[in-house]
């Protein structure tokens, strides 16, 4: 998952990479300093500059106006609750990243001498990007083949340590300001010995591996300190399964298991113009006779006033569908989500008996064996 810039920069600083002096501001009435500042929306999405989430301000009045405009607005669908306000950095805008390239089975180190918001237009070739093994020496060698700038190499070496120790999927600094003069946070401790140029991270896009979180207590603390920004990751840590909110104003609540099957269902529904609220891989094998997990999911779904229908789709070879049907009935009795209609498709181990039992216990539930008619019924309620 992508960290907001302020959290990403906190990690960069921890590994000795220079970042501009700045602070997180949540209140538009904050008293801005008279000097120039950069105001940046703290949302977990890239391309903020083009979407109006970054403002270069020359004085206190402009900073205050930018805060008033950006705080409380939405950037690419993400509500802005906080801005990072920084001393502006200067210099050439370069691009530096380390990516876990799963397709290549290697890390990819990329450096462009010209970064900035148009970086997507740059081609990846031997002069800008190298694949390498996941160790510090290989990363440093890859970067050394792309640039001879000592300050960039120094940042790259620190970024390599960070990337490996924190088990990241992506560490991207764009822009990396090279060669300018900056007010740097904690500057005295980050001087680059012998370097002719200076480099400071103007932005930080660090993507954590959610599956490594249990080995990374520092990251967990970072996420918990800003819990409202990372609800899905914290939910997974606390509950042990995946529930991802897709559309807070959607109309369909999904009770599904299996990541691939759940994604397929989301695609099928979206292709018909329906709007699922969530993705869910509840892992029926871990329910262990308790409806607690199902009740939690129903509670989260019930918080959406736009919820119109619950769609249960369990296709499972091992899970005993008879047991699942009983847990579902218990969970719906405990949290009926305002009585919205329920459509259930159960296929697999014991599903014939399960459907018969559920039909008798809850005649109000529309029960199906096949996917197509169940989707059609859901669409009737949802669209
Ligand atoms: P992103 O669009 O979400 O990647 O946000 P960035 O933090 O990269 O900001 C977008 C653009 O704003 C950058 O590419 C820069 O051109 C500009 N920018 C951001 N911070 C600074 C700064 O400190 N100084 C200057 N001169 N420009 C900045
Ligand atoms: Mn950027």
């Amino acid at each position: 998952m992508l960290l907001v810039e302020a959290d990403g920069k906190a990690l960069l600083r921890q590994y000795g990479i220079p970042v501009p002096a700045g602070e997180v501001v949540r209140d538009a009435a904050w008293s801005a300093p008279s000097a120039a500042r950069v105001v940046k929306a703290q949302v977990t999405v890239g391309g903020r500059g083009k979407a109006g989430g970054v403002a270069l301000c020359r004085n206190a009045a402009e900073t205050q106006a930018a805060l008033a405009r950006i705080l409380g607005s939405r950037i690419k669908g993400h509500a802005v609750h906080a801005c990072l306000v920084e001393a502006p950095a200067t210099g050439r805008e370069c691009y530096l990243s380390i990516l876990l390239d799963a397709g290549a089975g290697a890390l990819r180190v990329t450096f462009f001498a010209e970064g900035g918001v148009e970086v997507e237009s740059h081609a990846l070739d031997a002069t800008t990007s190298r694949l390498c093994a996941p160790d510090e020496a290989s990363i440093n060698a890859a970067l050394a083949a792309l640039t001879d700038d000592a300050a960039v190499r120094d940042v790259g070496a620190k970024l390599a340590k960070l990337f490996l120790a924190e088990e990241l999927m992506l560490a991207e600094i764009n822009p990396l300001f090279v060669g300018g003069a900056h007010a740097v946070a904690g500057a005295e401790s980050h001087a680059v010995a012998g370097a002719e140029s200076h480099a400071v991270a103007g932005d930080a896009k660090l993507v954590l591996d959610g599956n490594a979180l249990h080995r990374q207590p520092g990251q967990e603390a970072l996420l918990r300190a800003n819990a409202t920004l990372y609800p899905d990751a914290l939910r997974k840590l606390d509950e042990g399964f995946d529930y991802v909110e897709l559309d807070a104003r959607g109309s369909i609540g999904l009770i599904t298991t299996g990541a691939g099957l759940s994604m397929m269902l989301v695609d099928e529904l979206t292709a018909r113009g329906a709007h699922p609220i969530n993705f869910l891989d509840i892992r029926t094998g871990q329910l262990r006779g308790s409806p607690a997990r199902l009740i939690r999911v129903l509670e989260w779904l019930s918080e959406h006033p736009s919820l119109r229908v619950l769609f249960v789709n369990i296709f499972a070879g091992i899970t005993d569908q008879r047991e699942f049907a009983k847990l579902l009935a218990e969970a719906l009795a405990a949290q009926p989500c305002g009585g919205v209609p329920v459509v259930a498709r159960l296929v697999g181990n014991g599903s014939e008996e399960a459907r018969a039992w559920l039909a008798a216990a809850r005649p109000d539930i529309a029960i199906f064996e096949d996917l197509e008619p169940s989707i059609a019924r859901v669409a009737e309620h949802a669209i």
Side-chain angles (χ1 to χ4, degrees):
M1 98 236 32
L2 175 65
L3 292 178
V4 290
E5 177 188 6
D7 288 345
K9 281 180 168 168
L11 269 182
L12 294 186
R13 272 193 78 174
Q14 210 176 302
Y15 285 79
I17 296 172
V19 300
E23 59 191 289
V24 174
V25 175
R26 292 190 163 76
D27 182 0
W30 184 70
S31 78
S34 55
R37 285 290 179 270
V38 188
V39 176
K40 311 177 82 175
Q42 296 304 291
V43 282
T44 51
V45 67
R48 294 164 302 162
K50 284 187 173 179
V54 176
L56 305 180
C57 309
R58 285 169 297 189
N59 51 46
E62 287 188 11
T63 302
Q64 237 126 25
L67 282 169
R69 176 175 65 79
I70 297 174
L71 281 172
S73 74
R74 294 183 90 83
I75 300 293
K76 294 180 152 183
H78 294 247
V80 183
H81 300 297
C83 284
L84 181 60
V85 180
E86 285 185 339
T90 56
R92 266 187 308 128
E93 293 194 23
C94 299
Y95 174 101
L96 173 65
S97 71
I98 305 173
L99 167 78
L100 177 66
D101 187 333
L107 300 188
R108 178 178 287 284
V109 177
T110 304
F111 177 75
F112 301 119
E114 287 178 16
V117 294
E118 296 300 339
V119 77
E120 289 90 349
S121 61
H122 291 293
L124 290 186
D125 59 34
T127 66
T128 58
S129 190
R130 293 281 163 115
L131 291 174
C132 70
D135 61 76
E136 281 183 46
S138 303
I139 297 170
N140 291 337
L143 185 58
L146 302 173
T147 176
D148 49 21
D149 187 297
V152 175
R153 286 187 186 180
D154 181 74
V155 168
K158 289 166 176 164
L159 197 63
K161 278 192 206 297
L162 186 163
F163 186 94
L164 295 168
E166 302 286 332
E167 302 181 85
L168 299 189
M169 301 178 78
L170 170 70
E172 181 192 84
I173 302 177
N174 178 38
L176 175 66
F177 286 99
V178 179
H182 332 278
V184 169
E188 52 305 329
S189 56
H190 301 312
V192 182
E196 284 162 23
S197 66
H198 304 276
V200 62
D203 190 9
K205 294 224 161 37
L206 304 190
V207 176
L208 307 184
D209 180 350
N211 293 315
L213 268 181
H214 62 281
R215 287 190 295 270
Q216 299 286 353
Q219 292 178 7
E220 185 179 335
L222 204 63
L223 299 183
R224 289 205 191 280
N226 255 325
T228 51
L229 287 171
Y230 310 111
D232 298 329
L234 289 171
R235 213 163 4 213
K236 178 168 178 154
L237 265 180
D238 294 337
E239 313 276 348
F241 63 94
D242 291 279
Y243 173 106
V244 179
E245 186 174 290
L246 302 173
D247 181 354
R249 283 173 251 175
S251 54
I252 304 168
L254 292 182
I255 309 283
T256 51
T257 194
L261 203 67
S262 303
M263 284 191 276
M264 191 256 331
L265 194 64
V266 168
D267 286 346
E268 292 284 340
L269 291 166
T270 322
R272 286 164 170 79
H275 300 284
I277 292 172
N278 64 309
F279 160 93
L280 174 67
D281 178 7
I282 200 166
R283 307 206 185 132
T284 47
Q286 295 173 0
L287 295 179
R288 307 210 181 282
S290 163
R293 230 178 234 200
L294 285 163
I295 294 171
R296 296 287 287 144
V297 171
L298 291 172
E299 280 168 1
W300 299 329
L301 292 171
S302 73
E303 286 164 15
H304 296 267
S306 54
L307 176 71
R308 304 256 286 273
V309 56
L310 290 168
F311 188 8
V312 184
N313 182 34
I314 305 293
F315 182 103
I318 297 170
T319 299
D320 185 336
Q321 295 274 16
R322 290 160 291 210
E323 184 188 331
F324 177 81
K326 295 202 168 96
L327 296 180
L328 177 66
E330 279 180 54
L332 285 168
Q335 174 48 268
C337 287
V340 295
V342 182
V343 176
R345 181 216 177 202
L346 304 177
V347 188
N349 178 18
S351 57
E352 213 162 309
E353 269 180 67
R355 289 194 300 268
W357 181 87
L358 193 60
R362 288 289 303 257
D364 58 310
I365 296 182
I367 300 171
F368 293 89
E369 180 177 3
D370 292 328
L371 186 59
E372 277 304 324
S374 65
I375 289 183
R377 179 65 64 88
V378 167
E380 279 171 28
H381 293 296
I383 302 175

